[in-house]
């Protein structure tokens, strides 16, 4: 059974940092495109960061310079380092994998809640 399991969310204050982790099991994602999304209450899910197997990354303007996506293929892990958190970063954060490289994320985690207080 293929699973992505996020962890590391919580309640923090504005300006704090958090590191989210995504543990993959059931198959290797070393050749997959990995992404982090978030969904705030009443809003659509949005892509925040993408990491390609070759090492390149992309970030949404809203998190560029504050968030960093990384992966450890040996551990089948993906991370999202979040610095200088703002109240507007409050959302459920999801890890996802595009296993085919066709631009569709076909594996998803269950999400982890991040709440940033002002």
């Amino acid at each position: 059974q293929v699973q992505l399991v996020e962890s590391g969310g919580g309640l923090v204050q504005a300006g704090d940092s958090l590191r989210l982790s995504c543990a993959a099991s059931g198959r290797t994602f070393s050749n997959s495109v990995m992404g982090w999304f978030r969904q705030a209450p009443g809003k659509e899910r949005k892509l925040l960061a993408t990491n390609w197997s070759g090492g390149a990354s992309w970030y949404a303007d809203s998190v560029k310079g504050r968030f960093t996506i990384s992966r450890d293929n040996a551990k089948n892990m993906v991370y999202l380092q979040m610095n200088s958190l703002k109240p507007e970063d409050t959302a459920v954060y999801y890890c996802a994998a595009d296993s085919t490289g066709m631009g569709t994320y076909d594996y998803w985690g269950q999400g982890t809640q991040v709440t940033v207080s002002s």
Side-chain angles (χ1 to χ4, degrees), residues 31-54:
N31 293 321
S32 298
V33 180
M34 302 301 296
W36 283 96
F37 293 72
R38 72 184 177 193
Q39 186 168 21
K43 296 187 177 181
E44 63 182 23
R45 184 152 39 186
K46 292 187 176 181
L47 178 61
L48 301 177
T50 301
N51 180 260
W52 283 268
S53 58

Side-chain angles (χ1 to χ4, degrees), residues 3-7 20-24 34-36 72 75-80 94-97 108-109:
Q3 279 190 312
L4 297 176
V5 179
E6 303 94 336
S7 61
L20 304 182
S21 299
C22 174
M34 302 301 296
W36 283 96
D72 184 336
K75 296 181 178 179
N76 228 12
M77 297 286 294
V78 182
Y79 306 98
L80 185 68
Y94 299 89
C95 170
W108 290 84

Side-chain angles (χ1 to χ4, degrees), residues 59-80:
Y59 298 93
D61 287 343
S62 58
V63 304
K64 193 177 298 181
R66 299 189 299 125
F67 291 11
T68 303
I69 186 172
S70 63
R71 68 167 79 193
D72 184 336
N73 287 331
K75 296 181 178 179
N76 228 12
M77 297 286 294
V78 182
Y79 306 98
L80 185 68

